[in-house]
Amino acid sequence: DDPRWGHVYPLKVRSDAQDAYQRFANQYEAQTGLKLKYLRTDNDRAFFSISDRLEEDGRRTAPDSSYQNGIAERRIQTVDRRASVMIFHANAPIAFWLQAVFCSNYITNLLPTSALGGISPYEKKYGRPPDLSHLRAWGCRAYAHIPKKLRRKYAKKAHACIFIGYDLDGSNGFTSTTYRLWDPLARKLRRSAPNFVTFIETEFPWRVQVDPI
């Protein structure tokens, strides 16, 4: 619950919950040096074996009573609504909903919230305000520059892409040094450092293309 920092782990099937939890626990314990003691769940059996391994019993709420998980439920709603707005604004295909959710969660960790007295989860967790200068408009046009050593003479100098999010820094999980870009021509994900990408935040390719994927 504190400092309201959110993580997203997509599950293809419910049985993936244990693996997702273990990845979260490993990251949390590596960053903080603390051990997780209990897990609050919505009484889904997929989490029972996880909570049983912890030092204290998992805190299980009653079925169909989301209000008992108020903080988590509100966080999910906030991230989901922001992702929906991003998809609608960029006119993005629904296939990119997960990328929008990742990006929405990332931004939510950086934005101030009344629940923390007007500061962001980032500042609560790390003791300093976040640098927002790297944020870009989701779904905007982006050109991933091709290093000179990797291109032939007279060849194109950049890949025309669409901005879809940020790569988290694996060492600390909060400051991104890499942008995630979708290349609709090559139909592949590209990653680019800030000094190798140019954004045009007034242009949104999905608004004018019928099926860019």
Side-chain angles (χ1 to χ4, degrees):
D1 292 349
D2 186 34
R4 307 298 176 95
W5 187 269
H7 299 261
V8 174
Y9 293 91
L11 308 178
K12 290 185 177 180
V13 293
R14 288 180 179 273
S15 58
D16 289 343
Q18 294 189 40
D19 177 66
Y21 168 78
Q22 194 58 58
R23 285 186 285 129
F24 164 73
N26 291 342
Q27 180 187 28
Y28 176 85
E29 292 172 3
Q31 290 178 12
T32 65
L34 303 174
K35 292 288 185 180
L36 293 171
K37 291 187 175 182
Y38 68 85
L39 173 69
R40 185 190 297 273
T41 79
D42 60 358
N43 216 33
D44 192 315
R45 290 187 175 275
F47 295 99
F48 282 12
S49 60
I50 299 173
S51 61
D52 289 343
R53 294 200 306 267
L54 300 175
E55 294 180 19
E56 300 179 10
D57 288 337
R59 299 187 178 181
R60 300 168 185 168
T61 58
D64 302 316
S65 55
S66 58
Y67 62 88
Q68 293 185 350
N69 286 321
I71 293 177
E73 293 292 338
R74 286 193 295 275
R75 171 73 183 211
I76 292 171
Q77 290 178 6
T78 297
V79 169
D80 185 58
R81 288 172 181 170
R82 284 176 176 162
S84 296
V85 170
M86 289 157 56
I87 291 172
F88 178 79
H89 179 262
N91 195 34
I94 197 63
F96 289 89
W97 72 269
L98 183 56
Q99 296 298 330
V101 167
F102 282 140
C103 189
S104 173
N105 182 70
Y106 178 85
I107 293 171
T108 300
N109 283 332
L110 302 180
L111 295 180
T113 172
S114 59
L116 295 176
I119 67 173
S120 66
Y122 176 101
E123 185 171 356
K124 178 69 174 180
K125 187 174 183 179
Y126 296 105
R128 61 183 184 277
D131 178 6
L132 305 180
S133 63
H134 66 290
L135 297 182
R136 296 293 181 266
W138 194 87
C140 74
R141 188 181 302 280
Y143 290 96
H145 302 295
I146 304 172
K148 189 174 181 179
K149 63 181 179 180
L150 298 180
R151 66 175 188 261
R152 296 180 180 179
K153 190 174 182 179
Y154 304 125
K156 65 180 181 180
K157 298 181 179 180
H159 299 290
C161 299
I162 301 171
F163 168 65
I164 58 172
Y166 312 86
D167 266 357
L168 297 184
D169 184 333
S171 64
N172 52 41
F174 64 83
T175 301
S176 176
T177 56
T178 305
Y179 291 106
R180 297 169 66 85
L181 311 172
W182 175 251
D183 185 334
L185 183 62
R187 298 176 63 84
K188 64 183 292 186
L189 176 69
R190 297 188 183 278
R191 292 176 170 85
S192 183
N195 56 323
F196 283 102
V197 58
T198 298
F199 295 96
I200 303 180
E201 296 184 83
T202 57
E203 296 183 11
F204 295 84
W206 278 319
R207 292 183 182 177
V208 295
Q209 296 183 22
V210 176
D211 185 13
I213 65 171

